Amino acid sequence: MDKNPGLNVMIPMVVRVFPEVRLLVALRDPRDVILSCFLQALPLTPISSAYLSIGGTVNQYASVMGFWLEMLPRMGDQWMHVRYEELIEDLPGVARSTLSFLGVEFDENVLKFYEHARTKRVKSPSHADVVKPVYRTAVGRWRNYQKYLEPYMAGLERFLEAFNYR
């Protein structure tokens, strides 16, 4: 499992090798995703270099999520969107429906994922957040930077519409 949307180009190969695969697709307001990627201090790689400007970040998001939208009609019932905002509002309910989709029994310990994460080495740019309970401070954070995002909004309309973030 990985939350890196850049890896979605591997979906066709994964589905061919593992036809029974079930995919969880984490959704978040595209504007918040772009802001988060742009503000991350990531090691410089061919993918992360797209995040050096807001325009580059928008283009990378559009490329990655555009590919996902193209894959959706081919995926049948193998995928489930998990919305960040719904997870924050109702972690137990979203956890139950997600585990049910995966065919896994619910266990109360999944609600304390952050406690388990504290016992592991977490190698992620968001490692400090992984060991905390879910929080809402990042929801709508894009509004603080709206004037910087405004020139790129036309390129995001497709995704705001497709993912119901209007």
Side-chain angles (χ1 to χ4, degrees):
M1 172 150 61
D2 198 307
K3 70 175 191 171
N4 181 349
L7 296 177
N8 79 0
V9 297
M10 298 177 73
I11 290 172
M13 182 267 311
V14 170
V15 170
R16 281 190 182 154
V17 174
F18 304 104
E20 72 285 355
V21 71
R22 309 289 272 173
L23 299 169
L24 299 176
V25 180
L27 285 185
R28 185 175 171 204
D29 187 311
R31 297 159 292 195
D32 280 329
V33 172
I34 287 161
L35 182 64
S36 177
C37 290
F38 178 67
L39 295 177
Q40 283 289 329
L42 298 170
L44 195 57
T45 68
I47 292 175
S48 69
S49 66
Y51 304 145
L52 295 174
S53 70
I54 293 176
T57 307
V58 169
N59 289 339
Q60 178 70 5
Y61 181 90
S63 175
V64 166
M65 295 312 286
F67 179 79
W68 174 244
L69 289 178
E70 292 299 319
M71 289 301 303
L72 273 176
R74 297 165 178 86
M75 295 300 298
D77 64 353
Q78 292 179 270
W79 61 276
M80 176 183 180
H81 282 154
V82 180
R83 295 174 67 90
Y84 181 70
E85 297 82 1
E86 292 172 5
L87 190 73
I88 291 168
E89 291 299 320
D90 182 17
L91 178 60
V94 172
R96 284 181 192 283
S97 64
T98 301
L99 291 173
S100 175
F101 169 76
L102 295 173
V104 177
E105 281 191 43
F106 179 79
D107 183 323
E108 289 288 331
N109 287 322
V110 301
L111 303 177
K112 299 181 229 168
F113 61 90
Y114 52 92
E115 290 177 1
H116 179 71
R118 290 178 189 149
T119 68
K120 303 287 181 187
R121 180 171 179 250
V122 177
K123 191 175 178 184
S124 166
S126 58
H127 65 275
D129 296 324
V130 173
V131 295
K132 297 178 188 174
V134 292
Y135 55 90
R136 68 177 54 257
T137 56
V139 174
R141 187 171 55 162
W142 69 269
R143 289 183 178 88
N144 297 325
Y145 301 86
Q146 189 167 357
K147 70 179 181 180
Y148 302 106
L149 290 169
E150 196 60 43
Y152 307 100
M153 292 305 290
L156 294 176
E157 287 298 325
R158 173 184 181 202
F159 306 103
L160 295 171
E161 180 78 27
F163 302 134
N164 297 314
Y165 280 103
R166 298 197 135 274

